[in-house]
Structures are given as structure tokens and as C-alpha cells.
Amino acid sequence: MATFIPRKVFPTLNSLPRSYFLGHHKAGLDKMKTMLSHIDLVIECRDYRIPLSSRNPLFEENLAGRERLIVYTKRDLGSEGYQQDRNRERLIQEFQRPSALLFSDYKDKSSVRKVLEFAREHAAAANSLIGARMMVVGMPNVGKSSLLNALRGVGVHKGKVAHTGAQPGVTRKIGTTVKIINGEESGEGVYLMDTPGVFIPYVPDTEAMLKLALCGSVKDTIIAPTTLADYLLYHLNLYKPSVYAEYEQPTNDIETLLAALARKTGRLQKGGTPDYEASALWLIQRWRNGHLGRFLLDEVTHATLEAERGANGSAGVSLSQGRKMMKELRKQKSRLKHLNSQ
């Protein structure tokens, strides 16, 4: 039997959309800016599985002037607790200095308590009689509302107040402040405000767009599920092909895997033909829920972190620049479509 060789690179897909910046994203960001004078601390959430791709420069540009805590959420979906995971986390911490940084899993009370302790110490340093006001921000579906609910549950032993969901856009407006730490004699406590996710105006790198989509930062209808499943297969093979062994032997062909999966799980259309789209969505959701391995999509090394630092200027395009880039991309696609039709 021939030795399986996984793909070393994923093909560039220039036809992919390069943004998911919606009207309520801009409205939410504008509202955050107006409320910044009343905020003591900004808690920025990023997805642990894509620590570089889930960074949104808009927050640094528009919410400057307030101390910031970066929380990498969904640690349980990207870390296996090995030494290489700890080494990678140290690299990220060094890269983000002097910003404060924590790695979190909202289901792990000990990691939730670390966030609460940071908030408590920050509030105590402020020494305000009216308590501390904090705001949680981040890209769509990075776990902001789940973190808020966990902080409230552990901090004041109250039930959930923020709605959560598997698709982005559940939180579309800035919510009311929610108490996460009870006050003492010297103050009213700590309050946290949930906000809608805000996407990047333009994503220059198509692979970054695939990573964001695979992690659920854009709706599953924006990029074809079979394309996302193929990108997931590419990463599964680099990680450990045996994670899908119950469905198919190692393969680089997504249709082969989806067909086998459809037969095993009963996702068949009339005549017994595989339902590729339904099978792709099922495969993607299995990975999102942690059932197909725990690994990062972003490569985190000294070299990639330095490249990210150098790319900050190009990644942090303004809203107007993003619109111009998207307009030019649409023109290019239109010209290409016209040429192909001749």
C-alpha cells in the first residue's frame, strides 16, 4: 500500500469573497466609539484556533485610549495541553506585549476566574465609587457572549443573559451592562457590556478568509460548504488523517471523503446519491465542536508573528479603503466573467 502524502499547500481561490463587513458591524463600531469615554477596560476576544486571523485592527484604531485585555477564547478547541501548545502560547504572549493577555475556555471555571481576577484588580486600581464599566469586543462568533455568560455565572452566580449561537450575528446591537463582580463597601462592582461582532473591512489573504469562515465568523452560506470542507480536510491531513478513519482511509479528495461520510451517516439524496453539501456542513460542525482533533489553523512561529507585525499596516485598512478594494475586486471578477463568455 502506497504511503499517504498530504497536500503541503492549499490552492489560492481568488473568487472567494474578501469581506463580511455588514451594516450592523459599522453601526456597532460607531456606537462603541461614542461610549468609550464611559468604559474603563476593553476586553478583546480572539479565537484561539486562529490567533492571527481573528485579530481586527479596527478595534485598535477606533478604541484606542483605553487599557485592553486580550482573551483568546475556545482554548479547549485548539489546545491539547502539550508542551508545544504551551510554547506557542508563550510566543503569543511575547508578541502581544505590553498588552495583557489570557487564554480562556468558558466551560473551565478556573480560566474564567483568571479573567474575573484581572477585572477585579483593574477595578480596584481605578477606585471608583460608581464601579467599573467594561466592554467585550471581537470578530463575529469568537465567543464574546459565551464569555460574558460565564463571567456572570462564576462571578455573581447568575444565569445567562446574552444569547449565543453557532452562526454569527446573534448579537446585533450593544446590550445593557451586566454585573459580573459584586461590589464591596467602596464601590458598586464591575459591569460588562456585550457588543456585536465586527468583521474586517477587507481580507487581503484568501486563506485567512477560509480560516475565519471555517471557525464560524461568517455565515456558512457565504463560502460553499464543500470548499470549506476541502480546506478542513487539508488541515486534518496535516494534523492527523486518522481522525476521520471511521469514514474513509486517508485521502486528499474531498468528494471521496464526503461520499463515504454520506453513506455512513445516511446523508443521501433520492436514488442513494451522496448529499455533498449536507455532509460537508456536518463534517465542519464536527470539527467546530472539537470531535475531529484540537489544533490551530494559523501557524504560530517567530517568523509568522513578525510577518503579522509587518503586515499590520496593510491588514488594518480603513473602512473606505476596504470598500474601494471590494469594488475593484468586483470589477476584476466582472471583467474575467466577460472574457470567459466570449
Side-chain angles (χ1 to χ4, degrees), residues 157-175:
H157 309 293
K158 299 289 186 179
K160 297 180 179 179
V161 290
H163 296 292
T164 61
Q167 291 291 293
V170 174
T171 305
R172 300 179 71 91
K173 294 181 179 180
I174 292 179

Side-chain angles (χ1 to χ4, degrees), residues 31-48:
K31 183 68 173 177
M32 292 176 213
K33 290 166 63 176
T34 66
M35 304 183 71
L36 198 59
S37 60
H38 305 291
I39 299 299
D40 303 295
L41 176 71
V42 174
I43 301 177
E44 181 187 344
C45 292
R46 299 178 186 175
D47 193 315
Y48 186 98

Side-chain angles (χ1 to χ4, degrees), residues 72-90:
Y72 288 90
T73 60
K74 307 184 183 183
R75 184 189 198 182
D76 57 311
L77 299 178
S79 172
E80 295 179 306
Y82 296 147
Q83 186 61 46
Q84 63 181 15
D85 296 304
R86 292 188 286 272
N87 292 342
R88 184 173 57 235
E89 289 176 5
R90 278 196 290 271

Side-chain angles (χ1 to χ4, degrees), residues 145-194:
S145 298
S146 295
L147 178 62
L148 185 151
N149 287 332
L151 292 171
R152 177 175 167 83
V154 176
V156 297
H157 309 293
K158 299 289 186 179
K160 297 180 179 179
V161 290
H163 296 292
T164 61
Q167 291 291 293
V170 174
T171 305
R172 300 179 71 91
K173 294 181 179 180
I174 292 179
T176 56
T177 54
V178 174
K179 181 179 284 189
I180 60 171
I181 298 175
N182 286 319
E184 299 177 354
E185 292 182 5
S186 59
E188 288 191 3
V190 178
Y191 294 82
L192 184 62
M193 181 186 302
D194 197 12

Side-chain angles (χ1 to χ4, degrees), residues 11-18 203-211:
T12 301
L13 304 175
N14 291 321
S15 60
L16 287 179
R18 302 294 185 88
V203 184
D205 180 9
T206 57
E207 191 164 353
M209 191 70 183
L210 285 169
K211 292 173 184 177

Side-chain angles (χ1 to χ4, degrees), residues 297-327:
L297 301 180
D298 279 338
E299 182 183 4
V300 178
T301 64
H302 283 292
T304 58
L305 289 172
E306 285 303 316
E308 172 72 8
R309 195 191 307 276
N312 280 354
S314 60
V317 296
S318 67
L319 301 185
S320 59
Q321 287 174 321
R323 292 192 188 98
K324 289 179 181 178
M325 291 176 178
M326 287 299 296
K327 186 176 181 180

Side-chain angles (χ1 to χ4, degrees), residues 105-114 116 150 153-154 157:
D105 163 17
Y106 77 90
K107 297 185 290 293
D108 178 13
K109 289 185 178 181
S110 64
S111 72
V112 174
R113 288 191 185 99
K114 290 180 181 178
L116 285 169
V154 176
H157 309 293

